[in-house]
Amino acid sequence: MPPSDAALMRRALALARRARGQTSPNPMVGAVVARGGRVIAEGYHRRAGQPHAEAIALERAGPRARGATLYVTLEPCCHQGRTPPCTDAVIASGVRRVVAAMRDSNPLVAGKGLARLRRAGIEVQVGVLEEEARRLNEAYSHFITTGRPFVTLKLAASLDGKIASRTRESRWITGQQARFHVHRLRAESDAVMVGIGTALADDPRLTGRLGASRQPVRIVVDSLARLPTDAAMLREPGGRVIVAATRRAPKPRVDALRRAGAEVLFVRARGGRVDLGPLLDALGRREITSVLVEGGSELAGSLLDERLVNRFVLFLAPILIGGKDAPTIAGGKGVARLRDALRLDHLTLRRLGPDLLITAYPMAP
């Protein structure tokens, strides 16, 4: 691999990240046209329905693309969607070589785009900075192959694992830098989800406050539709609110929430509560590709019991709360034997002001 390949792919990945939180249900993609290691033109996909990264970069390059190399963070598509197939534009441009970070997980593409380029006589290389590209579009890849949103469980706790005091006071366990990071996570997610206990205790707005043009969908798992009609999240101008309830929810409450602007989504019950698997299926059908779960303990525990979490984001504050009645990170049933515990992999650790941020993924069985 020429030394410039990694550098130019790194540039393409940086371009793709500019659209973080804006392209759903499409992936984030960046593209660079270069010759002899020097950039001729570049572009990135901004949002669904708008031109793809390859098309933008090649149009900007014009005749200069002939004989050049195209670096792209994801395999060019070869099917007609909201926009024409990118493979057609790549072949027509006259580029000599295409370097892709990874194959597209979409079954409509999945290697077919690369094969189409090879049949046209274009040299193709795949796998440059592949791990970075996979992490960038992990939510897209999960959604496109399972039909369910990628679930990130965000938890904030003291060093002894408490998410609130015994009187249920939880504001604020972590510091300002950690809270800023949470707003960034919200802005990057299609939806933010909490349980009704958290909604009643904290009356959260669940909005991203970083000046983003798009607000996440706000979801409350609320089997009996107890969310007050004057809840703060229902008064927010951007985004929408989904209350996930069961058919046991009283009709007057359901009607009142609908009049207040919420969508009440009926989901099959399991043990008297919303069945989380079918809820994720229903969100996927609405093209919600990523969900940030922010609380509380019982919702987190249920997601862990059912192994529905795809990524963990844990903030640990350098405080000790104590108290056997203070809620811990996760309720639910838990495991009876340590050998059945959920083990985590790919851990990263960083400081955010006084707090620690741990990001991890469930270990494959």
Side-chain angles (χ1 to χ4, degrees):
M1 178 178 69
S4 60
D5 280 0
L8 290 165
M9 186 61 75
R10 194 165 286 113
R11 173 58 184 167
L13 286 165
L15 290 166
R17 292 188 189 99
R18 291 185 181 180
R20 193 182 288 275
Q22 303 297 315
T23 62
S24 179
N26 287 358
M28 291 169 277
V29 183
V32 172
V33 180
R35 188 194 306 273
R38 299 185 64 178
V39 174
I40 296 172
E42 56 188 27
Y44 65 96
H45 180 51
R46 295 176 180 271
R47 57 180 41 113
Q50 293 192 7
H52 288 188
E54 305 96 309
I56 295 171
L58 291 170
E59 182 180 6
R60 289 174 175 170
R64 295 175 297 164
R66 187 161 299 278
T69 298
L70 171 66
Y71 296 86
V72 61
T73 58
L74 187 69
E75 172 184 6
C77 66
C78 55
H79 65 288
Q80 178 70 47
R82 291 184 173 110
T83 58
C86 288
T87 49
D88 291 357
V90 174
I91 294 168
S93 72
V95 298
R96 179 185 62 84
R97 180 170 175 252
V98 171
V99 179
M102 61 177 284
R103 285 184 16 157
D104 194 338
S105 301
N106 187 340
L108 294 173
V109 187
K112 301 182 186 71
L114 300 174
R116 171 98 170 84
L117 298 178
R118 288 189 176 106
R119 287 196 302 270
I122 296 174
E123 179 188 341
V124 174
Q125 182 177 350
V126 188
V128 177
L129 301 187
E130 182 173 5
E131 183 60 28
E132 289 95 326
R134 289 195 180 281
R135 286 289 177 229
L136 177 67
N137 279 313
E138 60 191 0
Y140 161 79
S141 295
H142 176 80
F143 169 75
I144 208 70
T145 54
T146 68
R148 287 181 171 181
F150 183 90
V151 176
T152 296
L153 177 59
K154 186 277 293 183
L155 300 162
S158 61
L159 286 181
D160 54 344
K162 306 295 184 179
I163 62 172
S165 70
R166 59 184 172 82
T167 61
R168 299 304 191 264
E169 182 184 352
S170 61
R171 293 184 177 178
W172 296 102
I173 287 179
T174 54
Q176 186 174 358
Q177 286 178 258
R179 296 197 296 274
F180 180 88
H181 190 80
V182 171
H183 284 293
R184 197 179 82 182
L185 289 173
R186 289 180 184 177
E188 295 171 0
S189 302
D190 286 352
V192 180
M193 179 188 292
V194 296
I196 184 58
T198 296
L200 293 175
D202 298 341
D203 193 22
R205 288 189 284 166
L206 301 183
T207 53
R209 295 166 207 154
L210 300 179
S213 59
R214 185 197 68 145
Q215 287 292 344
V217 176
R218 302 181 283 279
I219 303 169
V220 182
V221 182
D222 182 10
S223 58
L224 297 177
R226 291 189 292 153
L227 184 70
T229 54
D230 62 349
M233 70 178 74
L234 290 169
R235 300 196 302 269
E236 287 295 322
R240 70 184 198 272
V241 176
I242 295 176
V243 175
T246 68
R247 291 289 179 182
R248 294 176 56 230
K251 188 175 184 302
R253 290 184 189 169
V254 170
D255 292 343
L257 284 170
R258 285 173 172 160
R259 286 194 299 271
E263 175 190 352
V264 178
L265 172 62
F266 287 115
V267 182
R268 184 178 69 203
R270 182 179 181 184
R273 297 184 174 186
V274 169
D275 194 340
L276 296 174
L279 171 57
L280 294 178
D281 290 332
L283 297 178
R285 288 191 292 271
R286 285 161 170 75
E287 291 194 329
I288 292 175
T289 67
S290 58
V291 174
L292 175 67
V293 180
E294 293 203 33
S297 177
E298 287 305 310
L299 178 57
S302 296
L303 288 165
L304 290 176
D305 287 343
E306 298 181 39
R307 298 297 195 259
L308 294 175
V309 179
N310 303 112
R311 179 177 65 157
F312 294 86
V313 175
L314 173 61
F315 298 92
L316 286 177
I319 60 173
L320 298 172
I321 294 175
K324 61 183 177 61
D325 295 325
T328 57
I329 283 176
K333 290 169 56 180
V335 299
R337 296 171 296 184
L338 284 179
R339 72 183 187 188
D340 297 324
L342 178 64
R343 301 188 182 278
L344 305 182
D345 201 1
H346 301 292
L347 272 74
T348 60
L349 176 67
R350 60 183 283 203
R351 287 284 297 269
L352 286 176
D355 306 313
L356 295 177
L357 168 61
I358 300 172
T359 302
Y361 296 81
M363 188 177 292

